[in-house]
Amino acid sequence: MNVDILTLISALWVKGFCSSGICKIQVDQPVTAVFRLHLRVHITMSGSPAVVMRLVASAYNVAEKAGSIVRKVLHSGELGIVEKTGANDLQTLADRLAQQSICASLSRRFPKITIIGEEELPAEEIKDDLIENGHSEEILQKTCPAEYIGLKEEELVVWVDPLDGTKEYTEASRCLRHQTDAQILHKGLDTSQVQSTALWLLDNVTVLIGIAYRGRAIAGVINQPFYNYQLGGGEDLGRTMWGILGLGAFGFQLQEVPGDKRIVTTTRSHSNKLVTDCVDAMEPHEVIRVGGAGNKIIQLVEGKASAYVFASPGCKKWDTCAPEAILHAVGGKLTDMHGNAYRYNADVKHMNSAGVLATLRNHEYYISRVPKSVLQALKSE
């Protein structure tokens, strides 16, 4: 293929040129100016997609595998619940198996990446049926943003929450078990309300895989294992959404809360006076209390809420890395209560100690409404 000098200059500017091997340059259409990089100049080494694209493509299938594990454990009825620090900090067999699956699958394919998972698990041999070797061809067909083309495995940090919304997951399991017991004892008893509650709780559950580069969340994958339950039998359960900064986000329909309506989503199980005071200070027209950081960001990008407000140090990096990347990819913002960005380097502390404030639009308005008492209580990192 003939490549003109302007194309080469553009490629050099994006890539810093290839340090070894032969660069294959593909051009969708003629380049007429050095700085017209939006014409999608693709640069690959020996035709292979960029590392970050391969990692996201793999994480997509891995997240779907983890979602199927979460469903399977729930259907078994044997959750294997362990209290970590208390009744509101639980771990289940699904958490353990899903994390093993995610970490083992990604580390086998990308041995130089750093993976940080929520669960502290003993080192043990991972069963073959937990390994996912597939990837999304659709993602590999996308154009890698220019600034990420040359990233190396060892430069990437992956933050994993194998089951975000564990409390809601265990509550849903209890509801379903009680429904079954009631039906056995009282044939013909209407237990639809119990089932409805259980399924609503399962909406809160997500699998989160976030990817960071130089401390910044640049890509994320979110799987909702129980999405589609409203459609009844015969429909495939679950969905997976993903996003990369500079490329966009996929797997959902982006929507905004209509007009100037302020709908705040916040915690349903980790509230306190500081959280309540901060939510009230936003002067919301409506407050939605749900579980899971991933679920709350989904509410923002699907137009069910305009701000996620959590003035407490309860959230951690594996809760926010993937959701933040997807939110940022569609123009939203996630910060602490001071308006400062969180860092996702491998050596940072795991706790988001200054709370979380996330919005799709009008972030500065919500930051301006944070009470001084909250800012004094939650020190920025």
Side-chain angles (χ1 to χ4, degrees), residues 294-313:
N295 180 39
K296 295 181 184 73
I297 297 303
I298 291 173
Q299 290 187 321
L300 295 184
V301 300
E302 293 193 324
K304 297 175 183 175
S306 44
Y308 164 26
V309 180
F310 185 51
S312 173

Side-chain angles (χ1 to χ4, degrees), residues 7-21 23 25 37 41-45 145-152:
T7 301
L8 283 173
I9 293 173
S10 298
L12 290 171
W13 188 79
V14 173
K15 181 79 167 86
F17 205 62
C18 298
S19 57
S20 62
C23 281
I25 303 172
L37 298 178
V41 179
H42 305 269
I43 302 175
T44 60
M45 182 70 73
E147 59 190 304
Y148 305 137
I149 288 175
L151 300 191
K152 301 176 182 177

